[in-house]
């Protein structure tokens, strides 16, 4: 249950009514009208909800100013049409300024949105995406570090800086390049955040995509060698939180980003080092993680919503690297095979469990493991020529201009090779890797730049020159 609270004002909104009260108390029967809040609480720029009557149709309340005052606020109800969902009623809280100015700003924003074609997705999970006119931002490996993940998303301009985890990217397309798992203790929280932003972005004409990396496939395969001990604790806490929600798994998963830090703080207070009780809890965390990530498990099925290769407009995104034989095999086929394996779906209903998709997830030249393009120094001129030739052949086969990869930390920061046709953006930002300053990649009309956080103030953006291709 989510309550939108700003100072002493409580706004409760459903399709049938709007309730305003000056006291901080929960209205009766709120749960009959709302499902789980997508993200925002308190004083934030956007508040999003899932009505119980339409659990897949988020409703947002948007505030154009940070502070609210009851005696000078105006509530404007507008109808926003969605092609796939009919009329969606949205409440906009307008504070200060003239109504004419607000209407003019809204008209200008609607005009910009109306000039953009709808985002088209092909494949299940999405493999080919057409997003004309959109700004694209790509974020590399996060490895369980929620603090760095938020910093990266903020400098990318898609996450609010007020602590309420609201989508601020408008029509931006965000691509996360995998390896959310391992080496850090906030993996499920980051997965929850990505899902929350996915739901919010759709409302504003944007989109959020993710590709699975080698650490996602390792965990589904039961390989926990790189799991942080705190991640086992998170799995145990998350399962307990899910049990509190009964059968409402979706609500528990979406809301986890809002409560995870509270649960972590509680866990650290009650944990007093290597006591006998804490030693006994470790196997339980392993058991819970195995249950969540095994093929067919809840979080394995969540990962199955994403492929290992994604093409957005003229750009290819993958974790390790796409090679010519991958394209010839079929990128949609690979994505589908990985999804079937993660969901533990039977092969043609004959009771035969789907085999591990080798070409996508196993071997040094698989999509999630290849480091061919991401070596900081490609080698001799001859070797460099060969690698760039393989890249060019791959891009020609898939009809793309460039490729973006993660997987291998770049100690010099995000960079490009092969005449700016391959971008390597894993900078090892997680505290479990290099603890580097976050960097993200921005693509606008085939103009590419790196945006990096300043070392003295993480939210101040520092950019490099555009690289034309």
């Amino acid at each position: 249950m989510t309550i939108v609270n700003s100072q002493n004002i409580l706004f409760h909104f459903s399709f049938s009514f709007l309730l305003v009260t000056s006291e901080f108390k929960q209205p009766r029967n709120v749960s009959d009208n709302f499902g789980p809040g997508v993200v925002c609480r308190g004083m934030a720029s956007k508040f999003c909800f899932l009505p119980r009557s339409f659990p897949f149709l988020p409703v947002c309340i948007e505030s154009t100013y940070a502070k609210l005052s009851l005696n000078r606020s105006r509530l404007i109800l507008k109808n926003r049409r969605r092609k796939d969902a009919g009329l969606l009623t949205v409440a906009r809280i307008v504070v200060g300024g003239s109504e004419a100015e607000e209407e003019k700003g809204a008209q200008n924003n609607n005009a910009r949105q109306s000039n953009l074609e709808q985002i088209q997705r092909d494949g299940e999970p999405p493999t080919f995406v057409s997003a004309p006119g959109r700004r694209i931002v790509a974020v590399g490996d996060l490895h369980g570090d929620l603090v760095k993940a938020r910093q990266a998303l903020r400098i990318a301009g898609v996450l609010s800086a007020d602590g309420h985890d609201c989508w601020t990217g408008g029509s931006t397309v965000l691509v996360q390049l995998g390896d959310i798992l391992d080496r850090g203790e906030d993996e499920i929280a980051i997965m929850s955040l990505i899902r929350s932003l996915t739901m919010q972005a759709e409302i504003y004409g944007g989109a959020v995509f993710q590709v699975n990396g080698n650490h996602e496939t390792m965990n589904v395969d039961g390989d926990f060698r790189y799991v942080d001990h705190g991640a086992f604790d998170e799995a145990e806490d998350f399962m307990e939180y899910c049990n509190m929600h009964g059968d409402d798994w979706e609500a528990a998963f979406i809301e986890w980003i809002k409560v995870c830090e509270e649960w972590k703080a509680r866990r650290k207070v009650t944990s007093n080092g290597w006591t006998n009780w804490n030693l006994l809890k470790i196997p339980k965390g392993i058991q819970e993680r195995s249950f969540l990530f095994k093929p067919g498990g809840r979080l394995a099925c969540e990962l199955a919503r994403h492929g290992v290769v994604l093409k957005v407009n003229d750009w290819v995104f993958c974790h390790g690297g796409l090679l010519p034989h991958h394209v010839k095999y079929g990128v949609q086929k690979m994505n589908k095979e990985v999804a079937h394996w993660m969901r533990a779906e039977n092969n043609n209903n004959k009771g035969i469990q789907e085999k591990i998709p080798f070409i996508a997830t196993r071997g040094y030249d698989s999509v999630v493991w290849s480091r061919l393009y991401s070596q900081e120094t490609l080698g001799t001129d001859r070797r460099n020529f060969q690698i760039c030739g393989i890249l060019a052949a791959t891009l020609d086969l898939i009809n793309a201009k460039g490729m973006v990869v993660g997987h291998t930390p770049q100690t010099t920061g995000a960079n490009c090779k092969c005449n700016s046709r391959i971008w390597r953006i894993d900078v090892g930002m997680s505290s479990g890797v290099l603890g580097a300053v976050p960097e993200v990649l921005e693509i606008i009309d085939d103009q590419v730049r790196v945006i990096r956080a300043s070392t003295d103030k993480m939210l101040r953006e520092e950019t490099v020159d555009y690289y034309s291709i």
Side-chain angles (χ1 to χ4, degrees):
M1 167 45 39
T2 297
I3 298 174
V4 180
N5 172 38
S6 181
Q7 294 180 346
N8 293 324
I9 304 172
L10 179 68
F11 292 93
H12 173 68
F13 174 74
S14 73
F15 284 101
S16 58
F17 65 94
L18 177 66
L19 171 66
V20 181
T21 177
S22 60
E23 295 181 337
F24 180 71
K25 63 181 181 179
Q26 181 171 331
R28 294 182 179 179
N29 300 323
V30 170
S31 61
D32 294 337
N33 298 288
F34 280 14
V38 178
V39 284
C40 306
R41 290 176 187 249
M43 294 171 56
S45 57
K46 300 181 183 71
F47 307 102
C48 300
F49 307 91
L50 288 179
R52 291 208 180 276
S53 54
F54 298 96
F56 300 104
L57 184 59
V59 174
C60 283
I61 297 178
E62 178 178 328
S63 172
T64 56
Y65 292 85
K67 293 184 178 180
L68 295 178
S69 168
L70 184 60
N71 61 359
R72 65 187 182 92
S73 64
R74 301 188 306 279
L75 297 175
I76 301 177
L77 294 179
K78 293 183 175 289
N79 287 329
R80 178 176 297 172
R81 180 172 294 279
R82 287 171 48 122
K83 293 181 178 180
D84 59 340
L87 287 176
L88 170 65
T89 304
V90 177
R92 296 182 61 240
I93 303 174
V94 183
V95 183
S98 68
E99 184 171 344
E101 290 174 349
E102 294 294 338
E103 289 295 333
K104 182 178 180 180
Q107 290 173 3
N108 291 338
N109 184 62
N110 291 336
R112 287 192 297 269
Q113 295 292 338
S114 63
N115 291 331
L116 294 176
E117 297 180 21
Q118 190 176 17
I119 295 176
Q120 303 292 331
R121 299 166 173 84
D122 184 19
E124 181 56 40
T127 304
F128 299 102
V129 175
S130 175
R134 261 71 170 191
R135 168 181 180 257
I136 303 172
V137 289
V139 178
D141 305 30
L142 299 175
H143 280 302
D145 191 328
L146 182 59
V147 172
K148 290 294 182 69
R150 282 177 167 146
Q151 291 171 353
L153 294 171
R154 287 169 187 165
I155 65 170
V158 299
L159 185 70
S160 62
D162 56 10
H164 300 293
D165 295 327
C166 299
W167 174 262
T168 59
S171 60
T172 297
V173 173
L174 167 67
V175 182
Q176 199 283 319
L177 289 179
D179 274 13
I180 288 176
L181 302 183
D182 290 342
R183 306 187 190 279
E185 60 181 8
D186 298 314
E187 308 160 309
I188 304 175
I190 297 175
M191 291 177 66
S192 174
L193 176 60
I194 294 295
R195 169 71 91 85
S196 173
L197 293 177
T198 301
M199 300 172 70
Q200 295 178 71
E202 185 178 349
I203 299 171
Y204 297 97
V208 177
F209 297 99
Q210 177 187 335
V211 294
N212 288 312
N214 60 305
H215 284 270
E216 280 74 43
T217 61
M218 288 168 66
N219 275 267
V220 176
D221 197 24
D223 186 345
F224 295 163
R225 284 178 295 167
Y226 300 97
V227 178
D228 185 274
H229 67 86
F232 289 120
D233 293 334
E234 187 194 29
E236 184 178 349
D237 290 345
F238 178 64
M239 285 297 295
E240 183 177 345
Y241 186 70
C242 289
N243 292 334
M244 292 169 55
H245 279 70
D247 295 331
D248 202 345
W249 151 262
E250 195 78 4
F253 180 63
I254 293 171
E255 291 180 355
W256 181 245
I257 183 59
K258 295 181 293 185
V259 301
C260 62
E261 291 172 327
E262 177 185 343
W263 279 71
K264 185 199 294 188
R266 185 189 312 167
R267 179 207 318 149
K268 289 187 176 180
V269 168
T270 58
S271 177
N272 297 311
W274 293 104
T275 64
N276 291 336
W277 172 246
N278 289 330
L279 287 173
L280 289 173
K281 288 181 66 178
I282 293 176
K284 184 177 181 181
I286 297 174
Q287 180 181 2
E288 302 290 23
R289 186 181 184 89
S290 300
F291 177 78
L292 289 168
F293 284 103
K294 69 179 182 179
R298 291 289 194 176
L299 292 183
C301 290
E302 178 66 20
L303 294 175
R305 298 175 63 247
H306 316 289
V308 293
V309 181
L310 178 72
K311 184 188 176 192
V312 181
N313 297 341
D314 295 323
W315 287 84
V316 175
F317 299 87
C318 56
H319 182 68
L322 191 68
L323 301 173
H325 71 279
H326 299 146
V327 182
K328 293 176 181 177
Y329 183 81
V331 291
Q332 279 189 315
K333 183 179 179 180
M334 282 193 300
N335 282 345
K336 187 175 293 186
E337 288 176 350
V338 173
H340 285 181
W341 166 60
M342 288 182 168
R343 295 190 184 109
E345 294 175 345
N346 290 335
N347 187 6
N348 297 324
N349 297 319
K350 294 180 180 179
I352 303 173
Q353 184 171 322
E354 197 76 25
K355 295 181 179 179
I356 296 175
F358 190 90
I359 192 171
T361 66
R362 293 293 185 90
Y364 71 94
D365 63 346
S366 63
V367 178
V368 301
W369 279 102
S370 176
R371 300 186 192 271
L372 182 68
Y373 305 132
S374 56
Q375 304 168 49
E376 288 200 61
T377 302
L378 294 185
T380 63
D381 290 343
R382 179 179 176 82
R383 178 63 173 164
N384 182 75
F385 179 79
Q386 291 175 334
I387 293 174
C388 291
I390 294 172
L391 172 67
T394 305
L395 295 177
D396 287 344
L397 285 171
I398 202 169
N399 193 26
K401 293 181 179 178
M403 187 184 301
V404 185
V405 298
H407 190 39
T408 304
Q410 306 292 305
T411 57
T412 59
N415 60 83
C416 60
K417 293 289 184 181
C418 301
N419 195 28
S420 302
R421 301 194 76 186
I422 182 72
W423 284 84
R424 298 93 63 85
I425 67 168
D426 176 16
V427 296
M429 71 178 80
S430 170
S431 59
V433 185
L434 299 178
V437 174
E439 299 183 17
V440 301
L441 194 72
E442 179 188 70
I443 304 172
I444 302 178
D445 296 330
D446 292 334
Q447 297 290 309
V448 186
R449 68 170 178 169
V450 173
I451 304 175
R452 63 172 56 89
S454 172
T455 54
D456 59 337
K457 186 178 180 183
M458 297 305 298
L459 298 182
R460 189 179 72 196
E461 115 179 355
E462 179 181 310
T463 65
V464 299
D465 294 335
Y466 275 98
Y467 289 81
S468 300
I469 64 170

